[in-house]
Amino acid sequence: QVQLTESGGGLVQAGGSLTVSCGVSGGTFGRYAMAWFRQAPGKAREFVAVISWAGGNKIYSDSVKGRATISRANGKNTVHLQMNSLKIEDTAVYYCAADRDYRPGSPIPTTQVEFDYWGQGTQVTVSA
């Protein structure tokens, strides 16, 4: 049973920074592509960032590019998303996801259907 558990969400002022983290248990973390998605109130869940097995390949959505950094620690089975210069529109529930089928050399997954395991989410609220 693969479990993903997010942490680190909270309330932050606009312009501030926040790091959300995701711990993975029960699977082969080092062989998963890992991603972050988010869902704002009244909106569909959207892709934020993804990282390949060894962290060499990363993709960011246009909405966070230049403000976010995704990283992973395979020895600790964790993936992190650091966000800077936060905006009110970054307010959302942030979800961690894992793709067990990704292989190096294949296109890096960025759509929800490509991910097999999901966490419960952590709330990030950015205030004015």
Side-chain angles (χ1 to χ4, degrees):
Q1 184 82 8
V2 179
Q3 290 188 320
L4 282 65
T5 305
E6 300 95 337
S7 61
L11 177 64
V12 62
Q13 286 191 321
S17 299
L18 190 71
T19 298
V20 289
S21 300
C22 174
V24 180
S25 64
T28 312
F29 178 79
R31 297 177 69 85
Y32 299 154
M34 297 298 302
W36 288 94
F37 289 78
R38 67 185 183 185
Q39 186 168 19
K43 296 188 177 181
R45 190 177 299 185
E46 65 174 4
F47 167 77
V48 177
V50 64
I51 187 168
S52 60
W53 282 7
N57 292 320
K58 305 174 185 179
I59 296 176
Y60 298 94
S61 67
D62 289 343
S63 60
V64 303
K65 193 174 296 182
R67 301 189 296 119
T69 301
I70 187 170
S71 62
R72 66 189 296 164
N74 287 348
K76 297 183 178 181
N77 286 14
T78 55
V79 61
H80 309 280
L81 180 70
Q82 178 182 357
M83 296 189 66
N84 303 315
S85 302
L86 282 161
K87 305 175 182 179
I88 292 176
E89 50 263 43
D90 292 319
T91 295
V93 177
Y94 283 72
Y95 296 91
C96 173
D99 176 8
R100 67 188 176 194
D101 297 320
Y102 168 75
R103 295 293 180 269
S106 302
I108 297 180
T110 60
T111 62
Q112 297 183 55
V113 295
E114 296 177 279
F115 289 85
D116 306 287
Y117 307 113
W118 291 83
Q120 294 299 308
T122 186
Q123 176 71 47
V124 173
T125 302
V126 183
S127 64

